[in-house]
Amino acid sequence: VQLQASGGGLVQAGGSLRLSCAASGGNFGSYGMGWFRQAPGKEHKFIAAISWGGGNTYYADSAKGRFTISRDNAKNTVYLQMNSLKPEDTAVYACAAVRNTGILLSSRARSTPRSYDYWGQGTLVTVSS
């Protein structure tokens, strides 16, 4: 499975961006999907995840109320709508796929990068103050 994130860019604080992650190969519709971000010099941090059918979504506290994860299995794409962006949201955002969707039921497991099987290259989001 190849994953490619896009949609990053420079935005002012309070603005919005929508990230996309397009998948190719594999069986996208059977995978749980997650978004992580990595600020300079820091580890990957969990942002959001979504079940294979899109019926269940999970968010980090920092994302609740501002970010929305969704997916379109017909387009093999997962999205991250980000609103009310803050300078501290600045990071490289990457998507990841997991075959064992059961891990999404565990807060600890879904937040752990090692739980995911496939990773795409990230897209840079810069939020100016």
Side-chain angles (χ1 to χ4, degrees):
V1 176
Q2 290 77 46
L3 303 173
Q4 181 64 55
S6 62
L10 175 63
V11 63
Q12 288 188 331
S16 299
L17 281 175
R18 188 176 82 153
L19 306 183
S20 299
C21 173
S24 59
N27 186 6
F28 175 80
S30 69
Y31 300 143
M33 298 296 298
W35 282 99
F36 288 75
R37 68 187 182 191
Q38 186 175 27
K42 297 188 177 181
E43 297 181 346
H44 280 97
K45 185 175 180 181
F46 172 76
I47 298 300
I50 188 167
S51 59
W52 64 271
N56 294 295
T57 56
Y58 311 89
Y59 296 93
D61 288 344
S62 61
K64 289 178 181 177
R66 298 191 301 129
F67 295 1
T68 302
I69 188 171
S70 61
R71 67 189 297 163
D72 185 340
N73 287 346
K75 296 182 178 180
N76 287 356
T77 302
V78 63
Y79 305 97
L80 185 68
Q81 176 68 43
M82 304 188 296
N83 299 327
S84 302
L85 283 162
K86 306 174 182 179
E88 51 263 45
D89 294 319
T90 295
V92 173
Y93 285 71
C95 57
V98 59
R99 295 190 303 267
N100 177 15
T101 59
I103 70 109
L104 298 185
L105 298 177
S106 163
S107 175
R108 182 174 182 176
R110 65 177 178 258
S111 302
T112 302
R114 289 194 307 273
S115 297
Y116 293 77
D117 301 297
Y118 308 104
W119 286 81
Q121 289 188 330
T123 184
L124 177 62
V125 172
T126 303
V127 184
S128 63
S129 57

